[in-house]
Amino acid sequence: MAVQTATAESLVEEVFLFGRVLRGALGSDQTDLPPALIGVLHVLAHSAPCRQNELALSLCVSQSALSRQVAELVDAGLVERHPDPEDRRASLVQVSDAGRRLLIENTGRIVARLRERFGEWNQDEAEDALIALKHLKETFSTIPVRTPAAGAITQNEGGVA
């Protein structure tokens, strides 16, 4: 059975509000880095050294925006660039040791704050929430196959090759 429109609308509103509330609940991460750069570090720390275009796809950001972010992280000593051994014109990026230390410290502070917030939860409730969040993430990470709207002319119709 398909999700009803009212339920989908409520999900959209709750996901949006949850993002805002979560940012507020996490508070300051006590680093000089903006949250976007911390996010880049987190994703990069969980991947092998990769090209920036691959990282941009993972983060769902433009290559130009990511290029600026990576440059800031390199300048701060938190990310390293190395020539790609398969194509010397390209480079691979990876989190530096300093970046890993910053992430470990930052994650420890966030986990401590979240555990306080989850004080009334039991393990089963936390695991159920984790499963639901992973399912939402996977749902939104999957690129839907779009079908033409009713009556729309596709490229192959009307003699266009």
Side-chain angles (χ1 to χ4, degrees):
M1 181 165 114
V3 174
Q4 296 177 2
T5 301
T7 303
E9 289 170 349
S10 293
L11 274 168
V12 167
E13 184 173 345
E14 290 302 322
V15 167
F16 173 76
L17 293 174
F18 175 70
R20 294 183 63 91
V21 168
L22 183 61
R23 281 188 294 279
L26 295 178
S28 168
D29 61 14
Q30 300 176 354
T31 70
D32 293 333
L33 292 179
L37 296 185
I38 292 288
V40 172
L41 275 179
H42 273 283
V43 170
L44 193 53
H46 292 94
S47 65
C50 63
R51 291 183 180 184
Q52 284 184 202
N53 62 338
E54 296 165 347
L55 184 58
L57 284 173
S58 296
L59 290 164
C60 300
V61 298
S62 70
Q63 289 185 37
S64 62
L66 181 67
S67 181
R68 289 187 298 275
Q69 293 171 330
V70 168
E72 286 183 57
L73 291 167
V74 168
D75 290 346
L78 303 172
V79 167
E80 300 170 340
R81 270 196 193 105
H82 302 286
D84 184 341
E86 294 178 15
D87 181 353
R88 305 297 279 178
R89 298 170 295 171
S91 62
L92 301 177
V93 291
Q94 66 184 44
V95 176
S96 68
D97 290 341
R100 289 192 189 286
R101 284 191 300 275
L102 182 137
L103 283 174
I104 289 167
E105 293 167 6
N106 189 58
T107 300
R109 287 190 297 270
I110 291 171
V111 166
R113 281 192 297 249
L114 287 179
R115 288 193 72 207
E116 287 176 20
R117 294 287 182 136
F118 291 129
E120 306 261 332
W121 290 41
N122 64 40
Q123 183 64 25
D124 288 339
E125 290 171 319
E127 288 176 1
D128 288 346
L130 180 59
I131 290 167
L133 284 172
K134 285 182 176 181
H135 187 65
L136 275 170
K137 179 191 72 173
E138 290 166 4
T139 297
F140 290 114
S141 296
T142 304
I143 298 170
V145 175
R146 298 191 186 268
T147 56
I153 298 175
T154 63
Q155 199 172 18
N156 291 328
E157 291 181 45
V160 177

